[in-house]
Amino acid sequence: MIALSVVAAGVVVVFGIGSVRWVAREGAPVLYGLPGGAWSAGGVLGLVTLLGWGGALSERLESRTAAAGSGKASRMLRRVARGACWVAAVAPGYFLISGLPGKNCQSDAPGCSYVAGTGPALLVYVGCVATVGWLTYRWRRAVLEERRARERERLRKLRKKGKGKSRAARQA
């Protein structure tokens, strides 16, 4: 049973990567031709990646669906949701990389040529992911540090009143 699952997963990966690459090479010129061009496409794909990472790594997704129940259906729903978030996190980068020239193929083959607009889109994508990701990281760290400071202050006030001591310390 496990061997059959591994073979099925391998087939899905091989055909999935090939078909996604084909769709990306055919769809990229259309996407880059929209208003705003490759620059806005790179920014939007960068935001999709960040939202996907946020969902994939979020404990909220786990806790919200876990509160609904712990049956098989809810566990399956959590796995599907987490998988969709991982796909949303990885797919835009793969889409952009698919527009770059192939490494080991003839230069005259249509599947190996450079898709016009991929360079600027990739540049904006990396810039967007790096900048917004760094700002989000800094914001989350500031929120956590503020919570820690409030907790330290609360414990300090309790100790000042004599209520922050353990029972053994109060009895002695």
Side-chain angles (χ1 to χ4, degrees), residues 89-156:
V90 175
Y94 186 72
F95 178 84
L96 289 170
I97 290 173
S98 294
L100 295 175
K103 183 177 179 185
N104 295 322
C105 39
Q106 293 99 14
S107 60
D108 60 345
C112 295
S113 62
Y114 171 77
V115 176
T118 299
L122 195 57
L123 180 69
V124 172
Y125 172 80
V126 169
C128 177
V129 168
T131 304
V132 176
W134 179 75
L135 290 173
T136 304
Y137 170 77
R138 296 287 299 169
W139 174 71
R140 284 294 301 150
R141 296 307 280 174
V143 167
L144 290 173
E145 186 56 40
E146 177 64 28
R147 278 190 201 145
R148 286 186 192 124
R150 274 189 270 139
E151 182 64 18
R152 281 193 306 267
E153 182 63 25
R154 186 183 73 79
L155 289 174
R156 187 187 66 78

Side-chain angles (χ1 to χ4, degrees), residues 6 10-11 22 26 41 46 75 86-87 99 136 141 151 155 162-164:
V6 170
V11 168
W22 177 79
E26 295 294 322
R75 281 193 307 251
W86 279 108
V87 168
T136 304
R141 296 307 280 174
E151 182 64 18
L155 289 174
K163 297 182 179 180

